[in-house]
Amino acid sequence: PSAAAPVRVWRAMSSTAVTVLDGLSPTCAPFAARWDTEADRRRELRTPEHRAAWIAARHHRAVAGVAVAQARSQCKTAREASANPLAARRRAARLASKTAKGRRKAARADVKAARVTYPAALYQRALQAHAAHAVPAGVVAWLSSQDWPVEMSAGLVGLHAAGLWLGRRHAPVAPTVEGAVSAEERQLLDRLHPEYWTAHAADRGLAGTLTTPPALGPGGIRCEVRLDGTWTVKALAAKADSVRALLGARTALRLRITGGARGGWAVLTLATRQATDGVSAVWTPARIPADPLAMSVGVDTETGEEVLVAFDERMLISGASGSGKSWSIRPLMATAHLRGDLVFVDGKGEEATLWDGVCRVAVTTDEINAVIDEVHAEMTRRAAELKRRRLSRWDGPQLTVLIDEGQVVL
């Protein structure tokens, strides 16, 4: 056990470090993407033809510089030979000097243009930039006998290297469910990765958004999206078609964009699978929550968790005829029946055939009127009991009255 303890500590520290790196990588991904884009651009321009043009431009600049020096020497000799500034020799020397300077200026412009077409490699520019502060920092540290200039310079170099490494780090997408990842899910996971998203989001009008490494769960693919600038969750949801086009997702695939746990973040969900696959949909009393103030209406297809609603609150369940209202409330009716007393008023009488003999059911006009009288009498009795016991809330069994198709009853 004493030998295994350090191993467990090391594994815990490693897991924490990997989690922290996975969180930092999306932040550094834009920096690394811009770096790589610029490095690739410079690399493509560094062709032998551009190099030859740059060398030729430098040669012409050197020749022009020699010509300027010779013209300057001729002007000096002409001044020594004649004190008259209007002498022909001095005028010819000045004209030659002016012409040579014009050629040198044009040669310098050609060198500058050739340098743009044949730029230095990006890493060379980075080394030059770091040397610009590293060398003076070393001199200052040596003269002042202080270490902080060198430490600051080394910190900048380390920060630069760490940012590139984190931005290029491809956080592995480990499925959290058993089973192989389908080809469709693999494509979506790759396109949701910060590297791909950063490179292609602007083309779809999504510049200013950045994804985190996606995760594959029992309900499909889920990832967070950072919203920069003026982006909001509502604005991103309005761009759902652009998101679908960027991912190449099927039109029939359900895509949801909701708010994150904190401001400036959204959650993108792709229902590539359901958490209820292979799970029986038959309701049993075992699905009644332990919390007496909650009841389960079903199972969330994304998380596989029970969807809970309040047990002691009034509810209005609306929807078109045949949309499944009566079917959906059966778990709620069963919970109310097992926890207390249930009264079912069914204006059409279709659902009442299943509950007749289980709870108090009313279908016809006379039955509905009788049930209303009974419930009103019970309400009056409980009100008197509350007043007598000086209570503000009923502490006995709950009486639940469910009306199916209230318009028909009215």
Side-chain angles (χ1 to χ4, degrees):
S2 59
V7 175
R8 289 195 297 268
V9 172
W10 171 255
R11 289 178 178 176
M13 294 177 60
S14 301
S15 177
T16 303
V18 170
T19 302
V20 172
L21 292 177
D22 290 346
L24 292 176
S25 292
T27 305
C28 300
F31 167 66
R34 288 193 295 268
W35 174 280
D36 293 338
T37 301
E38 178 63 17
D40 293 340
R41 186 188 70 82
R42 290 172 175 262
R43 191 180 301 109
E44 292 176 357
L45 290 175
R46 291 175 64 83
T47 61
E49 295 78 11
H50 291 168
R51 177 179 173 80
W54 178 56
I55 293 176
R58 293 178 60 188
H59 175 71
H60 293 156
R61 183 185 63 180
V63 172
V66 173
V68 170
Q70 291 176 351
R72 188 181 296 113
S73 177
Q74 291 175 1
C75 288
K76 182 178 179 181
T77 303
R79 285 195 302 269
E80 293 175 352
S82 174
N84 183 10
L86 299 178
R89 185 174 180 181
R90 291 186 63 173
R91 285 189 285 107
R94 286 196 300 268
L95 180 59
S97 177
K98 183 177 180 181
T99 304
K101 289 180 180 179
R103 291 176 179 174
R104 184 180 63 177
K105 183 178 180 180
R108 287 177 175 176
D110 293 341
V111 170
K112 186 176 181 180
R115 192 56 178 167
V116 172
T117 57
Y118 185 73
L122 191 56
Y123 76 90
Q124 295 175 340
R125 281 286 182 259
L127 292 176
Q128 294 171 0
H130 288 305
H133 63 76
V135 174
V139 174
V140 172
W142 178 71
L143 293 176
S144 61
S145 300
Q146 299 290 333
D147 295 334
W148 65 266
V150 176
E151 294 174 353
M152 182 179 295
S153 180
L156 291 174
V157 176
L159 185 63
H160 188 173
L164 285 178
W165 181 78
L166 283 173
R168 291 169 177 167
R169 181 176 176 272
H170 194 294
V173 181
T176 58
V177 295
E178 297 181 357
V181 180
S182 65
E184 179 188 29
E185 290 174 335
R186 174 53 56 192
Q187 173 188 327
L188 294 173
L189 290 172
D190 290 341
R191 295 194 174 187
L192 279 172
H193 196 274
E195 293 179 2
Y196 183 92
W197 188 277
T198 303
H200 299 85
D203 298 336
R204 295 290 182 178
L206 298 172
T209 62
L210 179 64
T211 58
T212 59
L216 179 59
I221 300 174
R222 180 182 184 275
C223 81
E224 294 186 346
V225 183
R226 192 181 72 192
L227 306 176
D228 298 334
T230 59
W231 278 102
T232 61
V233 177
K234 184 177 180 180
L236 183 61
K239 285 279 191 177
D241 290 340
S242 299
V243 174
R244 188 181 298 274
L246 176 59
L247 300 178
R250 292 181 290 109
T251 305
L253 181 63
R254 188 177 61 164
L255 183 149
R256 287 203 311 158
I257 299 175
T258 56
R262 55 191 186 278
W265 288 85
V267 177
L268 175 62
T269 307
L270 296 167
T272 57
R273 57 181 70 183
Q274 292 186 355
T276 55
D277 291 342
V279 179
S280 175
V282 177
W283 185 89
T284 63
R287 288 189 170 177
I288 298 179
D291 185 359
L293 298 180
M295 53 183 174
S296 171
V297 71
V299 181
D300 192 330
T301 59
E302 293 184 5
T303 64
E305 300 177 353
E306 297 284 344
V307 179
L308 302 180
V309 296
F311 176 60
D312 57 349
E313 289 187 1
R314 298 176 177 86
M315 275 185 281
L316 174 64
I317 303 173
S318 61
S321 298
S323 60
K325 299 186 301 296
S326 299
W327 284 67
S328 300
I329 62 177
R330 286 177 182 176
L332 307 182
M333 295 175 63
T335 303
H337 170 67
L338 294 177
R339 281 183 174 175
D341 297 318
L342 175 65
V343 174
F344 184 30
V345 178
D346 187 1
K348 290 184 175 180
E350 298 172 352
E351 191 74 9
T353 56
L354 301 177
W355 295 92
D356 191 14
V358 177
C359 64
R360 183 75 162 88
V361 177
V363 177
T364 64
T365 302
D366 294 339
E367 292 174 345
I368 294 175
N369 288 331
V371 163
I372 291 176
D373 292 340
E374 293 176 7
V375 172
H376 184 269
E378 176 63 16
M379 180 186 68
T380 304
R381 185 191 71 81
R382 291 189 180 188
E385 181 72 10
L386 287 173
K387 183 177 181 180
R388 184 184 66 81
R389 297 172 58 190
R390 302 183 65 84
L391 297 177
S392 61
R393 186 179 182 88
W394 181 252
D395 57 356
Q398 176 173 301
L399 173 60
T400 303
V401 180
L402 180 67
I403 303 177
D404 195 353
E405 295 290 354
Q407 182 63 37
V408 176
V409 174
L410 292 176

